[in-house]
């Protein structure tokens, strides 16, 4: 309650900061209290009943809140870039290119944040950590097999990203064969 007006006042002159603060507002309502709960639980004695389960739950919720905040920050940056490049001008080719690139990069960044958050949540469970360790032990052979199997898929994905980011073909281009 105290930090929100202060942060909004500090960020009011920068459009990127305003968009990020607006997007991160809802996840921050969960994140900051969960940080306080996590600090309080770390100071709690270990002999309390069910303290291990409560700590586990608080840790999972905290990781989920951090992941949501990271994804919201990426959305805020993408929103700010879209606002800085309006499309309602006559020659909006540059704005459309920037918007396409921003959307692609934002989706990739949000996917990475979601994947990392899910991995961190799974690593808080001891059995999942053991499973992850055994998976890493066999990762060399698995990576080789998966790499060979998915070579065309990843090639097409990278080619699509390259076309979306460099935009060698545009609307109204003429191709003469």
């Amino acid at each position: 309650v105290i930090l929100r007006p202060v942060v909004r006042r500090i960020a009011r002159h920068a459009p990127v900061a305003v968009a990020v603060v607006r997007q991160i507002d809802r996840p921050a309502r969960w994140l900051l209290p969960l940080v306080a709960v996590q600090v309080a639980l770390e100071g709690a004695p270990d002999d309390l009943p069910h303290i291990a389960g409560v700590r586990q739950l608080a840790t999972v919720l905290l990781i989920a809140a951090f992941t949501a905040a990271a994804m919201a920050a990426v959305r805020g940056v993408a929103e700010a870039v879209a606002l800085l490049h309006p499309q309602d001008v006559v020659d909006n080719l540059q704005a459309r290119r920037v918007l396409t690139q921003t959307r692609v990069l934002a989706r990739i960044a949000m996917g990475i944040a979601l994947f990392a958050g899910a991995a961190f949540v799974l690593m808080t469970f001891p059995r999942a950590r053991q499973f992850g360790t055994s998976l890493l032990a066999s990762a060399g052979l698995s990576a080789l097999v998966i790499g060979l199997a998915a070579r065309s898929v990843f090639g097409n994905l990278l080619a699509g990203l390259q076309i979306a980011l460099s935009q060698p073909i545009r609307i109204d281009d003429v191709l003469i064969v």
Side-chain angles (χ1 to χ4, degrees):
V1 173
I2 296 170
L3 286 176
R4 187 179 301 135
V6 172
V7 171
R8 284 186 178 173
R9 185 169 176 90
I10 291 171
R12 71 178 174 207
H13 297 296
V16 176
V18 168
V20 170
V21 166
R22 184 175 38 246
Q23 287 291 327
I24 210 168
D25 187 41
R26 181 168 284 146
R29 290 181 188 186
W30 287 93
L31 181 63
L32 297 176
L34 283 170
V35 168
V37 167
Q38 186 71 21
V39 168
L41 285 174
E42 290 300 319
D46 291 336
D47 60 348
L48 286 174
H50 306 293
I51 191 68
V54 172
R55 284 181 180 161
Q56 177 77 25
L57 178 65
T59 302
V60 168
L61 290 175
L62 184 64
I63 292 170
F66 267 119
T67 303
M71 291 175 67
V74 169
R75 269 193 313 272
V77 170
E79 176 186 319
V81 169
L83 289 175
L84 291 174
H85 296 88
Q87 293 185 8
D88 56 356
V89 295
V90 175
D91 187 20
N92 64 358
L93 179 64
Q94 177 69 18
R96 286 185 292 142
R97 181 179 344 160
V98 169
L99 185 64
T100 300
Q101 293 170 351
T102 303
R103 283 181 182 163
V104 169
L105 293 175
R107 287 177 183 164
I108 290 171
M110 287 191 298
I112 290 171
L114 185 64
F115 180 76
F120 285 136
V121 165
L122 286 177
M123 293 308 277
T124 62
F125 298 102
R127 293 198 134 183
R129 188 178 302 147
Q130 290 172 354
F131 180 70
T133 305
S134 65
L135 236 114
L136 285 176
S138 64
L141 183 61
S142 301
L144 180 66
V145 170
I146 291 172
L148 288 175
R151 185 178 61 204
S152 63
V153 172
F154 287 131
N156 289 337
L157 176 70
L158 292 176
L161 284 175
Q162 184 178 8
I163 289 171
L165 294 178
S166 67
Q167 290 189 342
I169 301 170
R170 293 178 282 198
I171 295 176
D172 294 334
D173 279 355
V174 176
L175 178 66
I176 299 172
V177 179

